[in-house]
Amino acid sequence: MKLGIENIPHHWIEEIVNLAGERIVVVDREGIILYINAAYCEFLGTTVEKAIRRPVQDVIENSRMHIVAQTGKEELASLQPINGSEMIANRYPLIINGELVGAVGTVMFRNPEDWLLYKNKIQHLVEELNYYKTKAERNSKSKYYFSHLIGDSPSFTAVKKLAERVSSSQSAVLLLGESGTGKELFASAIHNNSTRASFPFVPINCASIPEHLLESELFGYDEGAFTGAKKGGKKGHFQLANRGTIFLDEIGDMPLAMQSKLLRVLQEREILPVGGQKPIAVDVRIIAATHRNLEKMVEEGTFRQDLYYRLNVIKIDIPPLRNRDGDVELIAINLLEKLGRKFYRKGIKLSPEVVERLNQHKWQGNIRELENVLERCINVLDGNIIELVHLPLYLRDDEIIDIPKKQNGPETVHDAALPVQPLKATLAEVEKQAILNALTAANGNKQEAAKLLEIGKTSFYEKCKIYDIH
């Protein structure tokens, strides 16, 4: 007894094909239609009787079935204009006993509307999958090497050499520097140049995790630790970083209570998950970073002195962009190559006037601000040369203001004509402009802008409300 398709009645097979393929056509080596189902014919506005034994290109508009039957090369998810719309088709070579005998074609979606309907049904699943995929990749891979740290200025070269020299150590590293100076790049490069490079690099932004979740995120939790706890518990970032490096960005924003628990981890080299009874040994190198003045915070009692000394074994102070003479143009060229790949634009260059203006600017937002400026330029650029007109308005007006020297003797008419307004109003104008500049540098991110201004998030939002800044 044969066990196979022979046991299925012929009319069943045709119905199975209709159900499985929806719209299907089969041609021989010459592109002559040997089979086409009724669903496809209905879509084409014809009948099976009229279509059979005819050249496929005479029946199906813009068909490539006869080409696939000749070349033997499959064509997947191809857009095919037909009946005033575009369907998405798959075309497969049909090979029997090693011989190319024809081709099989199926219609995946009859039109873009079908595709959008399908896409909407699975979009949330795709987004969720991409989120966890990206998170897993970030938690296990270190993307940057010392070759990615661009700059030839003496101040930057000295810092880069120090970071390379200490990368092979197992000691804690404290990276200091303003927001946007590249602290995570340095941390990543140190990890990749260390003996831990083949193990995970786990970056954590201490400021972005709500205080009540910070402990469970860092140290994990056991099953039943709290309402809604995941079955089987969850590993924390320290466990995920075992034998590798954990990068604690914005360590200065960590609450005092968590600072005590972090100190214990550094001293005992073990963690205690939330709700756990047994400590878990971990082997992790700590790289911490902050834009805050930790020494001042220690004096004020907002940062533990003993934790500061534990983290401050090797201190690396990354210079701001405004103190890196000659590096702005090098970094800008490197960023343009990166952004060019992102936006599929090649050969974008800076005009001499733009280079001069970039060198004049103070870059309060550092490299992050420079990257945002260049991305904005690419979005409004028609050709390949970035000119002054493509720069944001605040950079186009960024000129050195010469304050006139006060003349001896009585006040001149010119001096008297200078506009005078109450000091309170003048300060308010300056404060508003500073907030607008910070928002521009932070690409509209209010939390990042508040950090650039070194004020609290609540205070920043209140000032935005006062000055009607949205």
Side-chain angles (χ1 to χ4, degrees), residues 164-184:
E164 286 186 84
R165 194 158 55 243
V166 304
S167 59
S168 57
S169 166
Q170 301 300 315
S171 300
V173 177
L174 180 61
L175 299 173
L176 301 177
E178 298 176 4
S179 293
T181 49
K183 294 187 288 292
E184 184 170 344

Side-chain angles (χ1 to χ4, degrees), residues 294-361:
L294 290 187
E295 291 181 2
K296 186 178 178 183
M297 291 179 70
V298 168
E299 290 175 8
E300 295 170 346
T302 54
F303 199 87
R304 289 185 63 109
Q305 186 179 50
D306 43 9
L307 177 59
Y308 172 67
Y309 288 126
R310 279 278 178 179
L311 296 172
N312 191 24
V313 179
I314 301 169
K315 182 168 72 173
I316 299 176
D317 203 338
I318 304 170
L321 189 54
R322 61 184 171 276
N323 293 344
R324 295 171 55 180
D325 293 339
D327 282 354
V328 173
E329 185 177 1
L330 286 175
I331 296 169
I333 291 170
N334 182 263
L335 288 173
L336 283 176
E337 290 178 6
K338 170 187 164 186
L339 292 168
R341 291 190 294 272
K342 178 180 176 181
F343 292 99
Y344 304 101
R345 301 281 298 272
K346 290 183 179 180
I348 297 175
K349 299 186 183 302
L350 302 169
S351 71
E353 294 79 15
V354 167
V355 172
E356 184 180 357
R357 185 58 53 87
L358 296 183
N359 284 326
Q360 288 175 354
H361 187 60

Side-chain angles (χ1 to χ4, degrees), residues 24 33 71 90 98 120 125 147 202 239 271 352 355 388 409 439 441 451:
I24 187 168
I33 296 176
T71 64
N90 285 334
N120 289 336
L125 297 174
S147 59
V202 181
Q239 276 181 278
I271 60 166
V355 172
L388 286 175
L439 283 168
K451 289 178 186 176

Side-chain angles (χ1 to χ4, degrees), residues 48 100 147 206 208 357 375 409 447:
V48 174
L100 179 64
S147 59
C206 300
S208 67
R357 185 58 53 87
E375 182 170 341
Q447 187 171 331

Side-chain angles (χ1 to χ4, degrees), residues 18 22 49 54 59 62 114 123 155 193 195 204 263 265 267 296 304 320 326 333 343 385-386 402 417 441 445:
N18 286 333
E22 289 193 1
E49 292 75 17
R54 290 180 61 198
V59 177
N62 297 310
D114 279 3
Q123 186 63 32
S155 60
N193 205 47
T195 55
I204 308 297
L263 179 64
V265 174
Q267 290 172 335
K296 186 178 178 183
R304 289 185 63 109
I333 291 170
F343 292 99
I385 306 294
I386 295 177
D402 293 323
N445 187 317

Side-chain angles (χ1 to χ4, degrees), residues 192-245:
N192 269 333
N193 205 47
S194 73
T195 55
R196 297 174 178 267
S198 57
F199 297 101
F201 173 78
V202 181
I204 308 297
N205 189 316
C206 300
S208 67
I209 303 174
E211 186 174 340
H212 66 283
L213 294 178
L214 192 54
E215 184 176 3
S216 62
E217 285 292 311
L218 291 180
F219 308 137
Y221 58 79
D222 279 2
E223 184 176 343
F226 48 83
T227 304
K230 187 176 166 184
K231 187 176 180 181
K234 177 187 173 184
K235 287 185 178 181
H237 293 302
F238 270 85
Q239 276 181 278
L240 295 173
N242 193 38
R243 302 182 70 189
T245 304

Side-chain angles (χ1 to χ4, degrees), residues 65-82:
M65 287 293 296
H66 55 299
I67 297 173
V68 174
Q70 287 290 326
T71 64
K73 294 181 180 179
E74 66 181 17
E75 298 179 357
L76 303 181
S78 296
L79 282 174
Q80 181 177 332
I82 189 169

